Amino acid sequence: MPLPDTARPWLVDSPAVAAARAAGRPLVALESTIVAHGMPYPENVRTAREVEAVIRAHGAEPATIAVMDGRLRIGLADDELELLGRSGQAQKVSRRDLPAVLASGEMGATTVSATMIGAQLAGIEVFVTGGIGGVHRQAQQTMDISADLQELARTSVAVVCAGAKSILDIGLTLEYLETHGVPVISVGQENFPAFYTRDSGYKADRRVDDPADMARIVRTKWDLGLEGGVVVGVPVPESDAMARDEIDAIIEQALSEAQSRGIAGKEVTPFLLARIKALTGGRSLAANIALVKNNAAMGAKLAMELGRGRGGKTGMWV
């Protein structure tokens, strides 16, 4: 999508991102909610820096997206990343929140949906995250469906993740994506992964083992004018994965606690992740860190392949 003239003043590249653009190196977008709300300090900042290093090691340039000083930052300097991770002041910014937080000058950490918007505006084709949001359990009563899914239907960015978060109703999440025409790819296996666990029990649309094949699918979709994202599910490394039965029981307990405390809306996910960490003795956090790094390696490989397909022009303003 061409960058609207009215949007350009709201975006600013970090020096590293600007240098990568000038050199024709592919960019990989990263969300900032995982830094501000997804992990405790200092693990959040340390993990963010390690994830960025993984992407650079595979030849691409990371671009962590956040809102600071009334601008959508495409890439963060070290001091900005530190501020985001330790201040506790960042607003959680989805599509609906982005205009208000930008206009007010507040600091904001972008969710999957807002990061996808920033990535597309910045001409970035690949976005790496931990797990996408989706249809929450008991959504038939609560109508709690993540804005991530609508964003995937309308915003043309490939989202590399470890599947949908285990706290969700993954079957309904996949049905929703199918309804909105979003392709779901699973890397190295038939079934879609489920964040802490390698296998959700539900099949993906297609198994793909090679980043070049993955890039051809993504590029063909957009060449045909089919707007919207592609979900690339990368299973958590086997050595860090948790048993599905164990994590499901823990999630049910955490969900029950959230309901009894009246926790709802955007506060649900941070509460559940914190409770799951406590109930697993920290093993869930270790799995989360491992899967994000694993996703980063795959995302960088995909960005490199997409860049080759465009003659090295990935990540350029369009």
Side-chain angles (χ1 to χ4, degrees):
M1 181 185 77
L3 178 69
D5 289 340
T6 53
R8 193 177 296 276
W10 294 100
L11 275 68
V12 59
D13 283 349
S14 70
V17 167
R21 285 190 195 278
R25 283 199 300 126
L27 301 175
V28 175
L30 297 168
E31 66 166 291
S32 46
T33 293
I34 195 171
V35 180
H37 305 290
M39 295 182 188
Y41 182 84
E43 287 94 342
N44 55 354
V45 174
R46 182 170 61 247
T47 299
R49 289 179 175 144
E50 290 172 351
V51 168
E52 290 188 344
V54 169
I55 290 171
R56 290 191 181 102
H58 285 84
E61 180 63 31
T64 299
I65 295 177
V67 179
M68 289 185 174
D69 302 320
R71 294 293 181 272
L72 191 58
R73 301 296 185 94
I74 311 300
L76 299 179
D78 275 350
D79 61 333
E80 293 168 335
L81 189 60
E82 181 77 19
L83 174 64
L84 184 73
R86 72 183 303 170
S87 72
Q89 301 301 309
Q91 301 291 317
K92 190 174 181 182
V93 178
S94 185
R95 168 180 277 265
R96 69 171 183 180
D97 312 298
L98 190 56
V101 176
L102 270 172
S104 69
E106 296 173 284
M107 181 164 57
T110 55
T111 64
V112 167
S113 63
T115 305
M116 289 183 71
I117 292 168
Q120 180 165 271
L121 289 171
I124 302 174
E125 296 181 317
V126 178
F127 161 41
V128 166
T129 186
I132 59 170
V135 180
H136 282 253
R137 302 184 189 196
Q138 300 177 342
Q140 296 91 332
Q141 287 76 43
T142 66
M143 294 298 292
D144 192 350
I145 300 173
S146 172
D148 297 357
L149 300 185
Q150 278 291 324
E151 209 61 53
L152 281 159
R154 70 177 75 175
T155 302
S156 298
V157 175
V159 179
V160 180
C161 59
K165 293 184 176 73
S166 304
I167 58 178
L168 303 170
D169 186 318
I170 295 177
L172 289 182
T173 296
L174 291 173
E175 288 286 353
Y176 193 103
L177 291 171
E178 179 186 3
T179 298
H180 290 276
V182 179
V184 176
I185 294 170
S186 186
V187 177
Q189 62 182 39
E190 301 292 332
N191 280 6
F192 191 57
F195 202 64
Y196 300 122
T197 62
R198 292 175 60 84
D199 185 350
S200 68
Y202 295 92
K203 278 199 170 186
D205 299 329
R206 181 172 291 270
R207 170 180 174 165
V208 178
D209 298 339
D210 181 74
D213 293 337
M214 195 183 307
R216 278 191 287 273
I217 292 171
V218 173
R219 180 67 67 217
T220 301
K221 179 182 194 293
W222 296 335
D223 283 351
L224 291 171
L226 299 175
E227 294 183 348
V230 176
V231 176
V232 179
V234 185
V236 59
E238 197 160 358
S239 59
D240 299 286
M242 301 183 67
R244 194 198 311 175
D245 290 348
E246 178 190 13
I247 197 66
D248 280 351
I250 289 170
I251 288 168
E252 288 296 338
Q253 180 178 339
L255 283 166
S256 177
E257 291 178 14
Q259 186 174 22
S260 66
R261 298 184 192 189
I263 296 169
K266 65 170 64 176
E267 302 305 320
V268 171
T269 297
F271 171 81
L272 292 177
L273 293 176
R275 284 301 294 145
I276 291 167
K277 179 194 171 189
L279 293 168
T280 61
R283 287 184 297 134
S284 64
L285 178 59
N288 195 348
I289 292 170
L291 66 85
V292 172
K293 291 180 184 178
N294 194 45
N295 296 347
M298 182 57 66
K301 292 174 185 176
L302 175 58
M304 295 296 287
E305 292 293 342
L306 286 168
R308 276 189 272 274
R310 293 183 61 184
K313 294 183 180 179
T314 296
M316 303 299 289
W317 292 104
V318 292

